[in-house]
Amino acid sequence: MKILIETERLLLREITLDDKEALFKLHSDPVVQKYTGEPVVKSIEETKKAIETRIIDYKKNGFGRWATILKSGKQFVGWAGLAYLPEFDEIDLGYRFLPKYWGMGFATEASRAILNYGFDSLKLRKIIAIAMKENKASIRVMEKVGMEFDKFAPYETGGEDVVWYWCDKKLITKSKRY
């Protein structure tokens, strides 16, 4: 499998159907899903359908959410990547990791590399990130990688406000100086 992004500790590659068990473990964990706004996944079949959607995204958009693998030991730790949100005409940075890998800086490390890839390789002009207001760890990652607060607004019509951040190449480059 082709590695798209490599960081000091991580390898990011396209998700395949071979990842279904690892992704099911991730998305069926209520602790992981707590701040996602998504229900806990109940079956491998649901996971397979989600992977098939990711594969279509790769072909259609040239990017997507990528399997995130530890270089040492080659363990699946979660996913991180970009997704096109047609309802907002925006490209979203997202990440989700197994709880045993929380607090180790993987979300920040992966996000920095993904933003660079998005701006340098994909030539994107703007990338956003969205989190529930209670998800302080995710908000902190957005800030650490140089994104700026944009607004409080619902993700879904009639939903509660969530936190929206944004960045462009200029903002990310500026944040690297500090």
Side-chain angles (χ1 to χ4, degrees):
M1 177 63 43
K2 180 182 167 200
I3 302 301
L4 296 167
I5 298 174
E6 183 173 343
T7 70
E8 184 180 332
R9 301 179 293 166
L10 303 170
L11 302 170
L12 281 72
R13 61 159 174 77
E14 290 183 357
I15 292 170
T16 71
L17 287 171
D18 291 338
D19 297 310
K20 65 184 174 291
E21 286 85 7
L23 283 166
F24 178 70
K25 180 179 179 186
L26 179 70
H27 290 277
S28 64
D29 185 332
V31 174
V32 172
Q33 296 295 89
K34 181 177 181 180
Y35 295 120
T36 68
E38 297 172 5
V40 170
V41 173
K42 302 283 187 203
S43 70
I44 288 278
E45 194 56 41
E46 271 183 81
T47 303
K48 283 172 66 176
K49 286 179 183 169
I51 292 171
E52 289 163 359
T53 300
R54 297 286 173 242
I55 292 168
I56 291 167
D57 288 346
Y58 300 143
K59 291 176 183 163
K60 184 176 166 185
N61 301 319
F63 56 82
R65 307 295 199 195
W66 297 304
T68 304
I69 312 296
L70 269 186
K71 275 186 183 178
S72 63
K74 306 291 187 242
Q75 302 98 309
F76 174 93
V77 296
W79 59 256
L82 302 168
Y84 177 65
L85 305 178
E87 62 272 36
F88 303 110
D89 193 28
E90 297 280 11
I91 296 168
D92 172 63
L93 168 69
Y95 35 82
R96 204 162 296 169
F97 295 93
L98 291 163
K100 74 186 247 180
Y101 299 105
W102 290 0
M104 297 180 178
F106 294 134
T108 302
E109 184 175 328
S111 295
R112 278 194 178 113
I114 290 163
L115 291 173
N116 288 331
Y117 182 84
F119 294 127
D120 297 340
S121 299
L122 300 174
K123 306 299 182 204
L124 301 175
R125 292 180 301 129
K126 177 183 172 191
I127 298 173
I128 68 163
I130 305 166
M132 295 174 105
K133 291 188 273 187
E134 304 81 13
N135 193 346
K136 303 294 185 206
S138 192
I139 293 166
R140 182 69 188 118
V141 169
M142 294 175 205
E143 293 170 347
K144 284 179 8 186
V145 299
M147 299 183 95
E148 286 192 355
F149 174 79
D150 182 26
K151 62 186 173 184
F152 291 112
Y155 182 79
E156 295 174 340
T157 306
E160 290 190 29
D161 281 357
V162 293
V163 180
W164 295 68
Y165 276 67
W166 76 280
C167 66
D168 58 16
K169 183 175 173 94
K170 184 178 175 185
L171 189 61
I172 295 303
T173 303
K174 183 177 118 182
S175 77
K176 286 181 186 173
R177 286 187 246 149
Y178 303 106

